[in-house]
Amino acid sequence: MDFDAFYRDTSRRLLRYAYGLTGDPAEAQDLVQEAYARGWQRWRRLTRYEDPEAWLRLVVNRLATDRWRRLGVRRQRAEPPQPPVEPPSENVVLLVTAMRRLPAAQRRALALHYLLDRSVALGGAGSARRRGRQRSQLRAGLSTALAVALLAAGVMVWRPATPHPLPATDGPLVGSPLSLGGEVAASRAATDGRRAYLAWVRQDDNSLWVTAADLRTGASAWPAPRALAGSSATLERVVSVPGAVLVVTRSEQARIVYALNPSTGALQWDRSRPAGSSLVFTERALVVTDTDRTQGVDWASGRVAWTVNGDRPVRALGMGVASDEERIDRSGPPATFSDDRVVVVTADGMAQVRDAGTGRLLREVAVGPGDPASMVAQDGRLYARDRTADRDGPQRIRSTDLIGTGGTVEVGTADGHFLRLAACGPARVCSVTQGHAGPPVLTAFDVHTGQRAWLSTTGPRGGDVVSSAHGRIMVQGEGGAGLDFFDASGITVYSAAAGGWLGPDTLVVPNPDGSKALSRWSAVDASLTPLNIPYLDLIGGCTSTTDRLACATGRSFKIFRVR
C-alpha cells in the first residue's frame, strides 16, 4: 500500500481518536497532521510493521500527552481560566464531552474501544496484567462517560436516587405543571404568542394527545387535553396558523393534518395526504402537492379552495422573507410563511410562483438541473445544488431569479459531500459539506457578487439543521443536538452541547459551568444570564417567546419565565 492510500483509509479514524483524546477539533487536526508528517518521513520502515496505524495512534497519544502537560504548566502560571463552553454533542461528541473529565488512561481506553471499535487485545501471560488494567480503565471510564453522554443526548432522563421534584413556585416556573398522563415518548410544540401548544405520544400505549397552556399564567388553556387518532404514525410537527393549531403526523402510507380550535381544542377538520406530499404553511392557506396536482386548503374549514391539475409537481416551497426571522424561537424557524407566494417545482424543471390564497399563476421560470431536495426559496430567489454534479463534490450552488429577469447564475462552489443548503442572511446562501476527513464546513456565498463570502468549520456534529436570524447563523447536529453559532462574518461566537434559539438575538443553552441548568445567551453583547431551569429534565417539545419557554418534561408540560 502506498502512503496516499494509507492516508485515505486511516485518516478519519485517526481524527476521531485524536478528537476523543483532546476534545478540541482544531487541536485534534493539528495532532493528526503532525503524526502523518512523521509517518511520511518513516514510511519505508512503517510498511514493514504489522499495524502501521497503531504506530500513528501511539504518536498521537504522545503528542496529546505533551499537550495536556503544557496546559497544566499554563494553568500553574496563569490566573484560573473562565469555565469552558461544553464541546459539541453528537453521539461521538457526547462521549468526548464526558471523556474530557476522565484520567488520560481511561480516555485512551475509551477512545480505542468506542471510537475505533478496538477490543482489549489478547496476548500471552506476560500481558495479562496489562489487559486487566485496560479492562478496568474501560469499566471505570464507561460508567462515568456513558452516563454523561446519555443524559446530554436525551436518551436517558436524569433522576436522582432520591427524587426531589421542584415545587411549583421554585425559580422561574410559571404556575403549576400540566400533567401529561404518563411518560412521554415524543413531543412537538408551537406557540401563537398567547398560548403554547404541545402534541405528545404517550409511552405506555403510543396514543397521540394535544394540550395548550396559557403563557402568562401557566394554566391549562383548554377544558381538557385532546386525544387524536393515529397512534401508529410518527409525530412530525405542530404549527400555529390563523384560526387553528395543526398537528402533522407521518406514516409509511400518509401524512395526516389535524386542525384544532386554538381556544377550545375542538377538532375542526383533518385531512390525509400521500406520504410523499409537500406541505407548505402560509398565513393564507395550506398548500399541498401530490404527484399530479397542487391544492390550497382553507385553514378554518379544511375546504379545498383551489386545485391545479396535471403539472407533475415534485416539491412546493414557501417564499421566505427577512421579516420571518423575527418569529424564530426555541422550536426553530417559523413553520408558517408570511409571504403570500408559494413556489411549485415541476418534474420538467420549471418553477411556478403562485398566489397561496387563490392558486393564481404569477410567474413561471426554468430552474435547470437543480436538485429539488436541496431547494430553498428566499426573497424572490430559488437556491439549489446543481444535481448534475457528483454529490461528493465539488458542489455548484445555483440561484434563479423568480420575480425579475428569470435568469439562473452560479453563485459559487463548495468542496466535499453535500449535506445542506439554507438561506443565511440578506442576499446570502450557505451550504454545509463534509470532506473525507475533518469536521463539516459551512460556506456562505454572496448572491450579488457570485463569490464566496467566507467558510468555517462547524465542529464534528454535522449540519442537520441550519437556521439564521439578523445575519447570524446556527448549525445544529442530527435532532438538534449541539450547536455552533456564527456571526455575519463567519466567526464562531458560541458553541454548546445543546440548546437553540430563544429569539432572533438570543439563545437558550446549558450553563457552561456544568451545573445542569439553562442560561440565556445574548448575541448582541455576548452576555450569559443563568435561568435556573434544569435542562436535563427537558426531553424535547419546546417552544418560546421573548419572555417564556414552554417545554415537555418526562410527565408534564411546564412554562418557564426567561426574562
Side-chain angles (χ1 to χ4, degrees):
M1 180 185 296
D2 61 19
F3 184 82
D4 289 344
F6 175 74
Y7 176 83
R8 288 194 299 270
D9 290 345
T10 62
S11 58
R12 298 187 71 174
R13 288 195 301 272
L14 193 65
L15 185 63
R16 286 202 304 271
Y17 178 66
Y19 184 73
L21 295 180
T22 65
D24 185 321
E27 187 71 25
Q29 287 181 327
D30 289 343
L31 299 187
V32 169
Q33 290 173 2
E34 176 63 22
Y36 277 110
R38 296 185 184 186
W40 168 252
Q41 295 170 352
R42 299 165 176 80
W43 181 239
R44 183 173 299 177
R45 189 196 316 167
L46 280 180
T47 56
R48 297 195 293 269
Y49 290 178
E50 182 178 346
D51 189 357
E53 187 178 351
W55 184 90
L56 285 178
R57 287 198 301 273
L58 180 61
V59 173
V60 168
N61 197 28
R62 289 173 176 171
L63 292 171
T65 300
D66 291 343
R67 171 184 179 270
W68 285 105
R69 287 172 179 165
R70 291 196 306 270
L71 289 176
V73 171
R74 289 173 190 167
R75 291 191 186 100
Q76 293 172 10
R77 294 178 178 174
E79 292 294 324
Q82 294 296 317
V85 175
E86 287 189 36
S89 167
E90 198 183 6
N91 289 340
V92 169
V93 185
L94 287 170
L95 190 59
V96 169
T97 304
M99 286 165 63
R100 295 181 69 181
R101 306 177 186 180
L102 303 178
Q106 291 181 13
R107 280 200 309 275
R108 286 194 295 272
L110 283 169
L112 281 170
H113 191 70
Y114 290 98
L115 300 185
L116 297 182
D117 295 322
R118 299 272 177 165
S119 62
V120 177
L122 297 177
S127 63
R129 287 189 297 274
R130 185 175 65 255
R131 295 199 306 274
R133 286 194 299 270
Q134 288 173 333
R135 292 192 178 99
S136 296
Q137 301 291 0
L138 275 175
R139 285 194 293 269
L142 182 61
S143 63
T144 302
L146 190 57
V148 175
L150 290 175
L151 286 169
V155 175
M156 185 169 71
V157 179
W158 173 263
R159 287 188 176 87
T162 304
H164 295 288
L166 289 174
T169 57
D170 185 59
L173 189 64
V174 177
S176 299
L178 302 186
S179 174
L180 301 181
E183 291 287 346
V184 174
S187 59
R188 297 288 185 271
T191 179
D192 60 7
R194 295 175 54 200
R195 309 177 190 91
Y197 305 98
L198 180 78
W200 77 97
V201 177
R202 285 184 180 170
Q203 196 169 53
D204 55 356
D205 59 4
N206 210 35
S207 57
L208 178 62
W209 294 77
V210 191
T211 192
D214 185 292
L215 285 172
R216 185 178 59 84
T217 66
S220 176
W222 293 350
R226 163 72 63 173
L228 298 177
S231 61
S232 62
T234 299
L235 177 58
E236 187 174 309
R237 68 194 314 174
V238 177
V239 184
S240 175
V241 297
V245 55
L246 309 180
V247 178
V248 184
T249 66
R250 180 196 291 269
S251 67
E252 292 183 359
Q253 293 78 31
R255 298 176 82 179
I256 301 177
V257 180
Y258 302 90
L260 291 84
N261 185 300
S263 300
T264 66
L267 182 65
Q268 297 180 163
W269 54 268
D270 60 78
R271 183 171 292 274
S272 177
R273 292 293 187 180
S277 301
S278 291
L279 305 179
V280 178
F281 306 93
T282 74
E283 293 188 350
R284 294 182 64 189
L286 168 65
V287 178
V288 184
T289 60
D290 296 337
T291 55
D292 59 352
R293 63 182 178 179
T294 303
Q295 292 183 322
V297 179
D298 178 71
W299 289 132
S301 64
R303 176 183 59 86
V304 176
W306 54 269
T307 301
V308 177
N309 292 308
D311 286 336
R312 296 190 301 152
V314 295
R315 191 176 180 196
L317 305 102
M319 182 72 76
V321 293
S323 59
D324 289 337
E325 296 179 349
E326 302 301 321
R327 296 183 288 126
I328 201 166
D329 69 4
R330 180 60 189 87
S331 58
T336 55
F337 293 88
S338 58
D339 194 281
D340 289 339
R341 296 166 295 178
V342 63
V343 181
V344 179
V345 181
T346 66
D348 57 359
M350 302 299 290
Q352 301 174 348
V353 182
R354 293 187 176 275
D355 184 289
T358 65
R360 182 169 64 93
L361 182 64
L362 305 176
R363 187 77 189 278
E364 186 173 32
V365 299
V367 295
D371 176 14
S374 71
M375 289 180 175
V376 179
Q378 179 75 23
D379 295 323
R381 290 187 169 273
L382 182 68
Y383 302 109
R385 178 187 78 92
D386 189 334
R387 65 184 175 191
T388 63
D390 189 328
R391 192 172 181 88
D392 288 329
Q395 307 299 333
R396 295 194 294 272
I397 309 303
R398 302 161 61 92
S399 170
T400 300
D401 186 352
L402 297 176
I403 58 177
T405 63
T408 297
V409 297
E410 184 176 299
V411 297
T413 61
D415 293 330
H417 180 79
F418 178 78
L419 297 177
R420 187 73 53 185
L421 191 68
C424 56
R428 282 195 175 174
V429 61
C430 286
S431 70
V432 182
T433 54
Q434 172 73 65
H436 295 296
V441 174
L442 176 69
T443 306
F445 300 98
D446 187 301
V447 177
H448 292 320
T449 64
Q451 296 180 344
R452 184 176 68 193
W454 50 262
L455 62 81
S456 182
T457 56
T458 67
R461 67 177 55 85
D464 190 62
V465 180
V466 181
S467 53
S468 68
H470 295 178
R472 308 180 186 100
I473 303 130
M474 181 189 295
V475 179
Q476 293 175 282
E478 185 176 356
L483 65 86
D484 289 315
F485 196 64
F486 302 85
D487 66 12
S489 60
I491 297 174
T492 306
V493 293
Y494 201 87
S495 293
W501 298 98
L502 193 59
D505 294 315
T506 54
L507 307 181
V508 58
V509 296
N511 288 350
D513 61 5
S515 60
K516 302 182 179 64
L518 292 177
S519 288
R520 184 181 72 246
W521 185 81
S522 169
V524 177
D525 58 9
S527 61
L528 194 68
T529 305
L531 296 175
N532 195 28
I533 300 173
Y535 84 87
L536 289 178
D537 189 39
L538 310 182
I539 63 170
C542 290
T543 186
S544 65
T545 64
T546 56
D547 62 353
R548 292 289 190 271
L549 176 67
C551 290
T553 66
R555 290 175 172 267
S556 61
F557 189 34
K558 296 180 179 180
I559 310 297
F560 298 98
R561 189 178 301 105
V562 293
R563 193 180 297 275

